[in-house]
C-alpha cells in the first residue's frame, strides 16, 4: 500500500518548507533511513529520511520549490502501483475557494484532522499527537524516530526527537504497547495536534485511523507549489549537514548533563550505537570541556558571503531563518518605543583583573564573560530593567537569565544563560563557548534559547566602537558592547594612555524610564571599572 509523505513541520513557526535538493528520483528504490531530500525551514536545511521501504512513485514538490506543511511531498509504494487516487486527491482542491478557505483558517485546519482521525479508534489504541513544545509552536518536525513500527514501547521510552523553530527535543511515550503507525516520517513535519504516532495492542488494524487527515493535508500542495516555483537555487547547501550533528542521548543523561553544565557534544557515549547514558555523564571529566569548547561566542560566522560580479546584479532568496528574523525584529522595532543610552567605561582595572584570573591554571575567561557577569549582578539592583511588558501589566522576572547574541551563517540566535547572576566566571565562559559552538550546527535545544530576561550583543571583536541593537522581545532592554580602544584619557588632571569601552543600552520606554536605565548603566560601570566590587 502506497504511503503519502507530507511536508514535515521542522520548527514551531514553520508554515512551509522548501526542497533544497532531492536525493532520490521517481522510480528509485527506497529503504528506511535513506535520505529522500534536503528540506529548508525557517531555521536551517535538514536531511529528510524515509521511514518506509518501497519505490518512489511520485514527487509532489519540485527541487528549489516550496510547499505548505502537511502538503504532499512524495508518495512511496510498490513498483507499478496505481496512485492516481492519491495524486488526484491532492490536486482537486487547488482551485478557487477551497484554497482561500484553507489559508484563511489555518487553526481550524490544523485541529480538524486530529478530530477526524480519532473517529473510529479501535479499543486499546492510543493516538499520539504532535506536541506543542513552545508557546509559538504551530508545527513540529520529526528529526529522528527512536522506535520503528512494530517495536514494543513502554511508558518513558524515547519515541522521537522533535524539532521546532528553536531546537530539538526528546519526546517520550506516555503509554505502553506496540508502535502501530508513524504519522510523520523522519525528517517530515506536521501541525501541532495532528497524528504523530499510534500505539496499541500488537496486530491491531489502524489503517483507517488518520486517513481523512492525509486527504486534508494534500489539498494545499498544488497552489503552494505554484506560488513558490521560482524560489532560491543556491541558499540550501550551506547547512545541509546540520542534522547529522545531533547527539544521541538518553533522557536521564540529558537532564544530568543540563544540571551539571556538561557539553554533550564532547561526551563519548558508551550505550547502543554510541548513545550517551547516565554513567557517561557521571564519569565525564570537566577538564575536557575547555579544549572541546574553544570557539569564542562572537566569532561565529557572519552572514553568508556573496560573490561580487562586475556589472551583474544577483539575488539571494531569503531563507526561512532570515524571514523569521526579519519578522520578529520588525515587530520589536515597531511595537516597542526604543530609546538609547550610551556610556564610556574605563577598562584598565578590568584588564588587570582578567590577567590575574587567567593566570590561574585551567582558567581562561574573556572580557565578554566579565561583562555578562557584571550585567547580571547589576540587574539584581535594578529589577525594573529585568522586566517585560505584557499589555495591561509589567512582569518583573524572578530569575536573571541573560541571552547572548550569537551570529550564525543564516542569521542570529540568542542562547540563554539561566540564573546568570549565580554563575561564576568559569561557568559563564564554558557555557557561552559551548552554546556558541552548538549554535553553528543547530545543536541548541529549545529550552536553551527561551526564557531570557535581558540580552547582550557584542561586536567589539570586529573593531566596532559603538552601535545600537534592537530589543529581543519580550525583554525590555539589550546591551550593545563595543571594542576596547586604547586612547588618551584624563586621569587625576593628567593626560595618560587608557583603555576605554563604549556601551549602549536600548530600552523599551514602556517599561524602563530614562532615569532607571541611566542608574543601571551607572551600576554596571562601577562593577566594570572596579571588578572587586563584584565580590561584595
Amino acid at each position: 500500500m502506497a504511503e503519502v509523505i507530507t511536508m514535515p513541520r521542522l520548527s514551531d513557526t514553520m508554515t512551509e518548507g522548501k526542497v533544497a535538493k532531492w536525493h532520490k528520483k521517481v522510480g528509485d528504490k527506497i529503504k528506511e533511513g535513506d535520505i529522500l531530500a534536503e528540506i529548508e525551514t525557517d531555521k536551517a536545511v535538514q536531511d529528510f529520511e524515509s521511514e518506509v521501504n518501497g519505490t518512489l512513485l511520485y514527487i509532489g514538490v519540485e527541487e528549489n520549490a516550496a510547499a505548505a506543511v502537511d502538503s504532499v511531498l512524495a508518495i512511496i509504494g510498490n513498483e507499478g502501483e496505481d496512485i492516481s487516487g492519491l495524486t488526484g486527491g491532492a490536486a482537486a482542491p487547488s482551485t478557487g475557494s477551497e484554497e482561500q478557505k484553507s489559508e484563511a483558517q489555518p487553526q481550524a485546519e490544523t485541529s480538524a484532522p486530529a478530530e477526524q482521525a480519532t473517529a473510529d479508534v479501535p479499543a486499546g489504541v492510543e493516538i499520539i499527537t504532535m506536541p506543542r513544545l513552545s508557546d509559538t509552536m504551530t508545527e513540529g518536525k520529526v528529526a529522528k524516530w527512536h522506535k520503528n513500527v512494530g517495536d514494543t514501547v513502554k511508558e518513558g521510552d524515547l519515541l522521537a526527537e522533535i524539532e521546532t523553530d528553536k531546537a530539538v527535543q526528546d519526546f517520550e511515550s506516555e503509554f505502553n504497547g506496540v508502535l502501530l503507525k508513524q504519522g510523520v516520517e523522519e525528517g517530515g513535519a506536521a501541525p501541532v495536534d495532528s497524528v504523530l504516532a499510534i500505539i496499541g495492542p500488537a496486530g491491531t488494524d489502524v489503517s483507517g485511523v488518520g486517513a481523512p487527515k492525509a486527504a486534508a493535508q494534500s489539498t494545499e500542495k498544488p497552489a503552494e507549489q505554484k506560488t513558490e516555483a521560482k524560489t532560491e537555487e543556491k541558499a540550501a547547501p550551506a547547512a545541509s549537514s546540520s542534522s547529522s550533528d545531533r547527539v544521541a542521548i538518553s533522557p536521564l543523561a540529558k537532564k544530568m548533563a543540563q544540571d551539571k553544565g556538561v557539553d554533550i557534544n564532547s561526551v563519548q557515549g558508551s550505550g547502543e550505537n554510541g548513545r550517551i547514558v547516565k554513567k557517561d555523564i557521571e564519569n565525564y571529566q570537566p577538564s575536557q570541556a575547555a579544549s572541546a569548547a574553544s570557539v569564542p561566542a562572537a566569532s561565529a560566522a557572519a552572514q553568508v558571503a556573496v560573490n561580487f560580479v562586475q556589472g551583474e546584479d544577483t539575488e539571494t532568496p531569503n531563507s526561512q531563518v532570515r524571514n523569521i528574523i526579519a519578522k520578529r525584529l520588525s515587530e520589536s522595532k515597531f511595537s516597542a518605543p526604543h530609546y538609547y543610552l550610551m556610556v564610556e567605561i574605563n577598562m584598565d582595572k578590568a584588564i588587570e583583573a582578567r590577567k590575574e584570573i587567567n593566570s590561574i591554571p585551567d582558567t581562561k575567561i574573556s572580557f565578554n564573560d566579565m561583562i555578562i557577569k557584571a550585567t547580571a549582578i547589576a540587574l539584581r539592583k535594578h529589577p525594573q530593567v529585568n522586566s517585560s511588558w505584557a499589555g495591561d501589566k509589567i512582569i518583573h522576572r524572578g530569575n536573571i537569565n541573560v541571552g547572548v547574541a550569537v551570529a550564525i551563517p543564516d542569521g542570529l540566535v540568542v542562547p540563554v544563560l539561566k540564573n546568570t547572576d549565580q554563575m561564576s566566571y568559569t561557568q559563564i565562559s564554558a557555557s557561552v563557548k559551548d552554546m556558541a559552538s552548538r549554535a553553528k550546527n543547530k545543536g541548541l535545544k529549545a529550552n536553551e534559547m527561551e526564557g531570557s530576561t535581558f540580552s547582550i550583543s557584542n561586536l567589539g571583536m570586529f573593531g566596532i566602537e559603538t552601535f545600537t541593537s534592537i530589543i529581543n522581545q519580550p525583554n525590555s532592554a539589550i546591551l550593545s558592547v563595543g571594542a576596547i580602544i586604547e586612547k588618551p584619557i584624563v586621569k587625576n588632571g593628567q593626560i595618560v594612555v587608557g583603555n576605554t569601552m563604549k556601551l549602549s543600552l536600548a530600552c523599551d520606554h514602556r517599561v524602563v524610564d530614562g532615569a532607571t536605565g541611566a542608574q543601571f548603566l551607572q551600576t554596571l560601570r562601577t562593577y566594570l571599572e572596579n571588578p572587586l566590587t563584584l565580590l561584595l
Side-chain angles (χ1 to χ4, degrees):
M1 179 178 177
E3 293 281 348
V4 177
I5 314 300
T6 57
M7 177 64 73
R9 186 183 298 273
L10 305 180
S11 73
D12 55 3
T13 58
M14 177 179 171
T15 57
E16 66 178 11
K18 171 191 171 184
V19 177
K21 181 179 180 181
W22 278 103
H23 285 266
K24 300 290 184 180
K25 60 181 182 294
V26 173
D28 285 355
K29 298 293 183 182
I30 308 294
K31 294 182 180 179
E32 183 178 353
D34 283 356
I35 297 178
L36 283 179
E38 296 174 15
I39 306 295
E40 182 175 2
T41 72
D42 57 343
K43 295 293 181 184
V45 178
Q46 302 188 34
D47 292 339
F48 181 71
E49 298 178 0
S50 173
E51 296 177 357
V52 297
N53 299 317
T55 300
L56 183 57
L57 303 176
Y58 176 77
I59 289 179
V61 184
E62 297 177 359
E63 193 167 295
N64 294 319
V69 167
D70 294 329
S71 58
V72 178
L73 177 65
I75 299 177
I76 297 176
N78 298 322
E79 187 173 359
E81 185 175 352
D82 181 14
I83 58 170
S84 57
L86 297 175
T87 56
S94 63
T95 59
S97 61
E98 284 296 318
E99 176 186 338
Q100 297 171 1
K101 183 177 180 181
S102 66
E103 293 178 356
Q105 300 177 351
Q107 295 297 334
E109 185 177 3
T110 298
S111 59
E115 295 174 358
Q116 296 172 10
T118 59
D120 299 308
V121 180
V125 169
E126 297 287 349
I127 296 179
I128 314 299
T129 58
M130 178 64 72
R132 186 183 300 275
L133 302 178
S134 74
D135 53 3
T136 58
M137 177 177 174
T138 58
E139 64 180 7
K141 172 190 176 183
V142 177
K144 182 178 181 181
W145 279 104
H146 286 267
K147 296 291 184 180
N148 298 317
V149 173
D151 287 354
T152 299
V153 179
K154 296 180 181 179
E155 183 178 354
D157 282 357
L158 183 60
L159 271 184
E161 296 176 16
I162 306 297
E163 182 172 0
T164 72
D165 63 336
K166 296 179 179 178
V168 180
Q169 298 191 42
D170 292 339
F171 181 71
E172 299 178 0
S173 174
E174 298 178 357
F175 307 100
N176 297 318
V178 173
L179 184 58
L180 303 174
K181 180 178 180 179
Q182 294 174 341
V184 184
E185 297 185 348
E186 189 166 299
V192 168
D193 296 329
S194 61
V195 177
L196 174 65
I198 299 178
I199 295 176
T204 305
D205 181 12
V206 293
S207 58
V209 180
K213 173 179 178 292
Q217 292 173 343
S218 66
T219 62
E220 295 178 346
K221 170 253 168 187
E224 294 291 342
Q225 183 173 337
K226 292 177 182 178
T227 302
E228 302 293 342
K230 295 183 179 180
T231 52
E232 63 257 292
E233 298 177 0
K234 299 180 181 179
S240 62
S241 63
S242 61
S243 64
S244 64
D245 296 312
R246 208 158 287 123
V247 177
I249 183 171
S250 71
L252 177 58
K254 175 186 171 186
K255 178 70 166 56
M256 292 175 61
Q258 290 175 344
D259 292 342
K260 293 185 175 184
V262 173
D263 175 14
I264 60 175
N265 291 276
S266 61
V267 179
Q268 181 66 43
S270 61
E272 184 179 359
N273 296 321
R275 192 181 193 207
I276 299 172
V277 294
K278 176 183 177 182
K279 67 178 182 180
D280 299 322
I281 302 299
E282 291 177 335
N283 298 331
Y284 179 71
Q285 298 298 320
S287 60
Q288 299 172 2
S291 59
S294 59
V295 183
S299 65
Q303 190 171 347
V304 177
V306 177
N307 293 327
F308 174 78
V309 180
Q310 182 67 43
E312 180 180 335
D313 294 342
T314 60
E315 295 180 354
T316 301
N318 291 335
S319 66
Q320 302 287 48
V321 180
R322 189 155 296 279
N323 284 334
I324 292 298
I325 290 174
K327 177 182 177 182
R328 291 178 178 171
L329 289 179
S330 297
E331 289 173 350
S332 177
K333 185 66 174 179
F334 299 142
S335 65
H338 287 54
Y339 73 91
Y340 305 94
L341 301 172
M342 299 182 186
V343 67
E344 190 170 34
I345 310 290
N346 186 321
M347 293 294 287
D348 287 341
K349 290 184 178 179
I351 292 173
E352 292 301 318
R354 177 173 176 262
K355 287 181 180 178
E356 291 185 19
I357 294 173
N358 285 345
S359 66
I360 301 173
D362 299 323
T363 302
K364 185 174 179 62
I365 67 169
S366 66
F367 289 113
N368 197 54
D369 301 329
M370 299 180 71
I371 294 166
I372 293 171
K373 176 67 173 179
T375 298
I377 301 302
L379 288 171
R380 279 186 188 172
K381 294 193 173 183
H382 303 277
Q384 188 70 20
V385 183
N386 198 54
S387 305
S388 300
W389 179 260
D392 59 347
K393 59 188 175 184
I394 294 175
I395 302 174
H396 305 289
R397 303 298 180 181
N399 294 317
I400 296 174
N401 303 330
V402 177
V404 182
V406 175
I408 59 175
D410 216 13
L412 190 74
V413 295
V414 187
V416 180
L417 302 177
K418 303 294 175 64
N419 298 311
T420 318
D421 56 319
Q422 301 174 26
M423 301 174 71
S424 67
Y425 281 135
T426 53
Q427 288 174 324
I428 291 173
S429 179
S431 296
V432 170
K433 289 174 183 176
D434 167 40
M435 290 193 290
S437 177
R438 287 189 288 121
K440 294 180 181 180
N441 300 321
K442 301 297 179 184
L444 291 175
K445 301 295 183 181
N447 61 350
E448 294 178 309
M449 291 186 283
E450 295 178 343
S452 68
T453 60
F454 186 92
S455 299
I456 295 176
S457 179
N458 191 339
L459 292 179
M461 70 293 302
F462 298 113
I464 302 300
E465 293 188 37
T466 184
F467 68 102
T468 58
S469 301
I470 298 175
I471 297 170
N472 178 34
Q473 296 288 341
N475 301 170
S476 60
I478 182 171
L479 184 71
S480 304
V481 181
I484 297 176
I485 304 296
E486 188 177 52
K487 69 176 188 177
I489 63 173
V490 177
K491 188 174 183 179
N492 298 325
Q494 301 293 321
I495 297 177
V496 297
V497 175
N499 295 276
T500 64
M501 177 182 68
K502 292 181 180 179
L503 301 179
S504 170
L505 183 69
C507 302
D508 183 344
H509 215 317
R510 298 172 299 179
V511 181
V512 182
D513 293 333
T516 303
Q519 290 165 1
F520 168 78
L521 281 180
Q522 278 186 331
T523 301
L524 181 56
R525 173 157 60 183
T526 298
Y527 287 149
L528 290 175
E529 291 187 342
N530 302 278
L532 290 179
T533 57
L534 289 171
L535 305 177
L536 300 178

